[in-house]
Structures are given as structure tokens and as C-alpha cells.
Amino acid sequence: MEKKQAGLPGFSIRNQRWLRVCEFVVCFLAFEFLQRLLGNQAQFKMIDLRLVFIVLFGSLYGLGYGIAGAAAQTVSLLLAYESQGTKWYTLFDEPANWIPFIFYFAAGAVCGYVRMKNRENLEFISEENQLIREKFLFMRDLYQATLQDKKMIQKTNSGQ
């Protein structure tokens, strides 16, 4: 049985997951294009578009997409080093070369965790709100029933 997302009639969770994966791939390719197009401009040497991609997907979709973004951008960075003539296995000889890879995964994990934690808090607050609403409705019905009983008792007492 498929769950359906509220607000999107006929749009199942499975379809939504495929849409997110397609978004991920298209955005990854767009960021790679931007990285190659803008990579040699001075102001864009200061901005790591790979890190922007990781933060974007980690913040939008959670931990899994943040880590997947970090893994995809790690492969992209390895290929960029390879195209510059640096072999990927020589990168790991010097610990200073590990910094971008560590930051990619750390940023993906932190942004994904924050998104996941915010979603859990929102679900908890929504459940709490629903419980309070149910208690309020119960108390209102109880109050209405008590008022009706009081009116009935007053009618019977005034009729005697």
C-alpha cells in the first residue's frame, strides 16, 4: 500500500523519490557545467560550487542526499584532479589534500542532520498539536453535554 503525500493528489512517495533522484542528477550535471564554465574566473575560484551543491541537497532533502551529494562531488573533485595531471592515489599521501573531502562529507552530514532534526521536530509538534486539538474537542463536547444536562434539570425543576 503506497502512502500519498498531502497536497499532491495521486503523487506517491515512490514517484516523489524518483523526482528527487532526477533533480539530484540534473542539478549535479548543471553544477558540473557551472564548475567547468566558471572555474577559471577569479571570483569563482573563491566559491566552491561543489560545496554549494552538497549544502543545497543536504539542506533540502536530508542526510541521505547530503552524503550522496558529498560522494558525487568527491568523485567530481577526483576527476578534476585527474584532468589536471594529479593521480588520485597521490592525493591521499599528503593529509592536507584530504581537507576538501573531509569538508564535503562533514557539510553533507551536518546539513542533512539539521534537516532531519527539523523534520522530526515538526512532526513531533504536529502530533502534539493534534493531541491538544483532540483534547479540546473532547472537553468542548463534554461542556456542551453538561450544559444540556443542566438545562434539562432546570426544566424539570421549574416544572414541579
Side-chain angles (χ1 to χ4, degrees), residues 111-146:
C111 291
Y113 176 77
V114 167
R115 170 67 177 156
M116 182 182 69
K117 194 69 178 160
N118 286 341
R119 177 173 280 164
E120 286 176 357
N121 287 343
L122 183 65
E123 287 174 3
F124 174 75
I125 289 170
S126 295
E127 288 173 7
E128 196 71 22
N129 190 18
Q130 183 63 30
L131 283 172
I132 290 170
R133 185 175 288 125
E134 288 173 4
K135 286 180 183 178
F136 168 75
L137 292 174
F138 173 74
M139 292 299 290
R140 187 182 68 184
D141 290 343
L142 196 59
Y143 178 72
Q144 293 294 331
T146 305

